[in-house]
Amino acid sequence: RESYRMARMHPHNLVVILHAYGRLSVRDVELLKSINGQLMKAVEQLEGKYLTMVCHSFGRLGVRGPLWQQLGQRINERVDWLAPVDMALIAHGFGKVAIRDKEVLAGPFS
């Protein structure tokens, strides 16, 4: 169950928390479920570095689920504004959870 405080946080703040847990390799399943649920409702608000941090962090922590499809769509919308390092980290995140999105992988080169 999501906490009231978590439900009120801006998606960028949730991504920063997720990123910290990913960097520390702390896999708090309940927290990850809550962040995943909140980000599914707000993926269209994520820009550049925040998309990168979500993909990289969820990839490092092995989080799978329908959010990846939404992330792929959002990345395709924003691909022209992503730096090469961001694309590399995004591809790494997708790879860590064994998700192959051909549009995301081809996006910067098509």
Side-chain angles (χ1 to χ4, degrees):
R1 196 182 124 186
E2 296 171 13
S3 74
Y4 178 70
R5 183 180 305 176
M6 178 111 12
R8 291 184 52 220
M9 279 188 183
H10 190 278
H12 291 172
N13 293 335
L14 294 173
V15 172
V16 171
I17 292 168
L18 171 66
H19 184 66
Y21 276 70
R23 296 279 309 214
L24 295 170
S25 297
V26 174
R27 199 166 196 283
D28 181 331
V29 175
E30 290 304 313
L31 178 67
L32 293 173
K33 284 180 183 178
S34 182
I35 291 174
N36 192 355
Q38 288 298 315
L39 291 180
M40 284 189 68
K41 299 174 195 170
V43 75
E44 69 281 349
Q45 295 179 42
L46 299 178
E47 299 291 334
K49 297 289 182 198
Y50 294 98
L51 286 168
T52 301
M53 290 192 304
V54 171
C55 292
H56 189 250
S57 300
F58 275 159
R60 280 189 66 143
L61 296 170
V63 176
R64 293 180 174 86
L67 179 62
W68 285 98
Q69 183 178 9
Q70 289 180 296
L71 287 169
Q73 291 169 350
R74 183 66 178 154
I75 290 162
N76 285 330
E77 293 169 4
R78 307 301 302 161
V79 71
D80 292 336
W81 293 276
L82 294 171
V85 69
D86 292 318
M87 289 305 301
L89 290 170
I90 287 168
H92 180 74
F94 273 80
K96 291 291 279 184
V97 292
I99 295 175
R100 184 170 181 182
D101 187 319
K102 291 180 184 179
E103 289 182 28
V104 169
L105 296 175
F109 306 109
S110 57

